[in-house]
Amino acid sequence: MASSNHTELNEDIRHAFKDGNAQKSRALHELKAKRKEHHNGDEDEHNSDEDGDGIVIEVPTTEQHKALGDYVKSIIYGGLDGIITTFAIVAGIAGADLATEVILVLGFANLIADGLSMGIGDYLSESAELEYIASEKLREEWEFDNFQEGEIQEMIEIYKTKGVSEQDAEVILRTMSKYKEFFINHMMIQELELQPPSGDEQP
C-alpha cells in the first residue's frame, strides 16, 4: 500500500512538472519529505528494540561506463540472432532439395533483412531511452529551479540510507547545490539510477 502511494505521489509530481505548476510541485515534494520522515521514524523506533550489531549497509559499487560496452552488446545480440535464424532457414530449405543457388539467395536475403530489423530496432530503442533520460533531466532541472530546498532534502534522505550522517550529508549536498549541473547529474544517478546524458550520445 505504501509503495502504491509513493508511486502515485511521484506521478503527481511528474504531472505538476508537465503542467508547469511550481506551487503544486513544491507542495508535493514537501508531502513526500514528510512521508519519508514519518517512515524513517517508524524504522528507527523498530531498530531501537533490536541489537544493532548485525546491521549491514549495502552501498552500490557498480560503475556505469557507456562507450564500447553498448556496441558490444548490440553486436553480440544481433549477431547471434542473425546466425541462428539464418542457419534455421538455410537448413530447412536445404532439406527441401532446392538448388544451391536458391539456398544461397534465400540465406543472404534473410541475413540482410534480419540485420536491418535488428539495427532499426536497436536504434529506435536506444533513441527512446535517450529521450526518456533527457526528459527526466529536464524535469529535475525544473524542480531544482522552482524548489531547490526540496531537492536537497531528497538527496539528504538518500545519503542517510547509505549510512552518511545527516550533518555530513547536508554539508556535502549544500556544497554540491552551488553547482547546478553537477548536482542534477549526481541526483539523476542516486535518485533515478539513470546515467545523465553527456551530449554526445548516439543511438
Side-chain angles (χ1 to χ4, degrees), residues 17 33 95 168:
F17 160 68
D168 288 344

Side-chain angles (χ1 to χ4, degrees), residues 96-178:
D97 280 335
L98 295 178
T100 303
E101 294 80 4
V102 174
I103 295 174
L104 289 174
V105 169
L106 292 176
F108 278 116
N110 174 78
L111 188 63
I112 294 170
D114 209 36
L116 288 172
S117 173
M118 292 294 296
I120 293 171
D122 187 60
Y123 175 84
L124 292 176
S125 63
E126 186 72 13
S127 296
E129 182 183 4
L130 291 175
E131 287 177 5
Y132 171 71
I133 293 173
S135 68
E136 287 299 295
K137 184 175 182 182
L138 187 65
R139 180 174 66 87
E140 291 296 344
E141 288 175 346
W142 183 84
E143 291 179 351
F144 183 87
D145 290 338
N146 287 280
F147 190 30
Q148 180 175 327
E149 183 61 27
E151 299 299 288
I152 293 173
Q153 289 300 323
E154 281 187 13
M155 287 298 292
I156 289 175
E157 291 300 320
I158 292 172
Y159 268 50
K160 286 166 64 178
T161 64
K162 296 179 182 295
V164 181
S165 69
E166 184 171 357
Q167 184 178 1
D168 288 344
E170 190 159 349
V171 171
I172 293 168
L173 292 163
R174 291 200 182 279
T175 302
M176 280 187 184
S177 66
K178 296 178 183 178

Side-chain angles (χ1 to χ4, degrees), residues 5 9 34 46 59 65 72 85 89 108 134 136 141 149:
N5 290 337
L9 184 58
K34 287 179 181 178
H46 175 72
V59 180
H65 297 283
V72 170
T85 54
I89 287 177
F108 278 116
E136 287 299 295
E141 288 175 346
E149 183 61 27

